Amino acid sequence: MPDTNLCLEALSALSGCNVEPTSGPSQLTPQDFVNIVALKEFYKQEGYKELEYPSLGTLSLQDIGDEDLYSSPPALTEGPGPEESLRTTVKINPQDFFHPQYDYDFTNIKDGNKKFLRGNEQYVRPCGWNRVALRVMQRYDSGDDWLGMGKDAWPVSYHGHNMDGSLGVILIHGGSPDNDQFLDAAAASLVAGETRGRGVYSTPDIKMAEKYCKSFKSKVDGKTYKVVLQNRINPEKRKKCQREDIWLVYVPEGRNDVQVRAIVQESIRPYGLLLKQA
């Protein structure tokens, strides 16, 4: 497993919070993290400025002063900078958040023409990345089959931080994705120039996720890293967009915050934090 402090920095970059270690109970689970990362983008595209999240309170949806990637990293002895002091602080216990037994370093692996499946769908492995496993086994009432390799497993998707409806015209536009008018709505969206769809976006293509991923300069070693979340996505909840490399978890109009979080949890579950030196 990479340095624990480096992993906490990666979580901080993804969530927009200051993530710090604790020996006590974690304030957030891995599922909470994917909820926050995904919902930050969803609520931003809906025009909101803040996200209310249980146990944390109010989180700003604006990226507060992205660091200059070419500046020298602050010394480890320095206190938080002015931007960091404005962020919500989150305490997690690395022992119950990470699962080193299932870490896998893909940094020097090249799959070539090899094919892999998860849930009977192609799994494009994150070659070139180092995966830090998240502790998600036995955390869901439905069991762990979603995380396996059999027919009941969920396909793999990647979330690259800035992924939202601006990625392309979708086949679901307004109303329910199950009604008979969604193709007409898609055609109308082309005419109107509308490219946004209500929901949470991810991709089965790690290269696509990398284009939209978050980068940060580590205070641990001074190097710059890219970070992506590796998830499993519920095939019954996922909707394919016009672009084959973009998947949408649709959020219908009129859902409150609790219902929106429930939709995300039923649809996207994280199991890996991917790191790659930029």
Side-chain angles (χ1 to χ4, degrees):
M1 177 176 172
D3 185 279
T4 298
N5 288 326
L6 174 61
C7 295
L8 297 182
E9 288 180 330
L11 292 174
S12 299
L14 274 173
S15 65
C17 302
N18 290 325
V19 181
E20 299 179 355
T22 180
S23 58
S26 296
Q27 287 182 283
L28 295 179
T29 66
Q31 182 65 51
D32 288 319
F33 261 93
V34 78
N35 288 357
I36 288 173
V37 173
L39 290 178
K40 281 185 70 174
E41 297 308 310
F42 168 67
Y43 281 119
K44 280 168 67 176
Q45 78 179 40
E46 290 291 293
Y48 289 78
K49 300 295 184 183
E50 297 176 333
L51 167 64
E52 294 290 337
Y53 201 84
S55 79
L56 293 183
T58 302
L59 301 177
S60 172
L61 299 185
Q62 297 174 315
D63 290 323
I64 304 173
D66 284 346
E67 293 183 45
D68 178 359
L69 298 183
Y70 299 97
S71 64
S72 299
L76 292 175
T77 54
E78 291 182 9
E83 287 123 4
E84 290 177 313
S85 65
L86 296 174
R87 296 176 176 173
T88 300
T89 296
V90 179
K91 301 283 189 179
I92 69 163
N93 185 331
Q95 298 297 317
D96 66 23
F97 194 90
F98 300 114
H99 206 166
Q101 178 183 349
Y102 296 98
D103 288 354
Y104 200 100
D105 190 354
F106 292 92
T107 301
N108 297 313
I109 292 179
K110 296 180 180 180
D111 283 338
N113 294 324
K114 294 179 182 178
K115 301 291 184 184
F116 299 88
L117 297 176
R118 296 293 184 271
N120 293 326
E121 293 194 30
Q122 185 175 356
Y123 165 36
V124 179
R125 301 203 303 175
C127 296
W129 297 75
N130 192 351
R131 184 178 71 204
V132 179
L134 306 179
R135 195 173 291 277
V136 292
M137 295 182 68
Q138 300 180 353
R139 297 287 178 95
Y140 297 92
D141 294 338
S142 57
D144 294 330
D145 286 347
W146 65 276
L147 195 57
M149 299 173 63
K151 61 181 179 62
D152 294 326
W154 292 4
V156 174
S157 79
Y158 302 98
H159 189 94
H161 180 69
N162 286 323
M163 300 186 70
D164 62 21
S166 63
L167 290 173
V169 176
I170 63 169
L171 292 183
I172 304 152
H173 174 71
S176 167
D178 298 318
N179 66 34
D180 294 332
Q181 300 178 339
F182 77 93
L183 286 174
D184 290 340
S189 73
L190 283 169
V191 175
E194 176 60 66
T195 62
R196 294 180 180 271
R198 299 190 84 253
V200 174
Y201 289 78
S202 62
T203 175
D205 184 354
I206 183 61
K207 292 182 180 178
M208 168 64 74
E210 184 173 0
K211 293 179 182 178
Y212 295 92
C213 74
K214 187 76 172 180
S215 296
F216 68 96
K217 174 160 274 190
S218 173
K219 297 177 184 178
V220 174
D221 58 13
K223 298 176 181 178
T224 298
Y225 292 89
K226 298 176 180 180
V227 57
V228 166
L229 278 173
Q230 186 176 28
N231 316 300
R232 296 296 185 97
I233 187 165
N234 188 334
E236 296 180 359
K237 302 293 184 180
R238 167 205 61 191
K239 302 296 178 181
K240 294 185 179 180
C241 299
Q242 189 177 42
R243 293 175 59 170
E244 293 184 357
D245 54 359
I246 301 295
W247 290 344
L248 168 70
V249 171
Y250 182 74
V251 177
E253 296 276 2
R255 299 301 192 268
N256 61 34
D257 290 347
V258 174
Q259 292 169 323
V260 172
R261 287 196 301 273
I263 289 172
V264 175
Q265 180 157 321
E266 292 172 358
S267 306
I268 301 180
R269 295 174 180 174
Y271 72 106
L273 180 72
L274 301 179
L275 292 169
K276 181 179 183 180
Q277 192 171 330

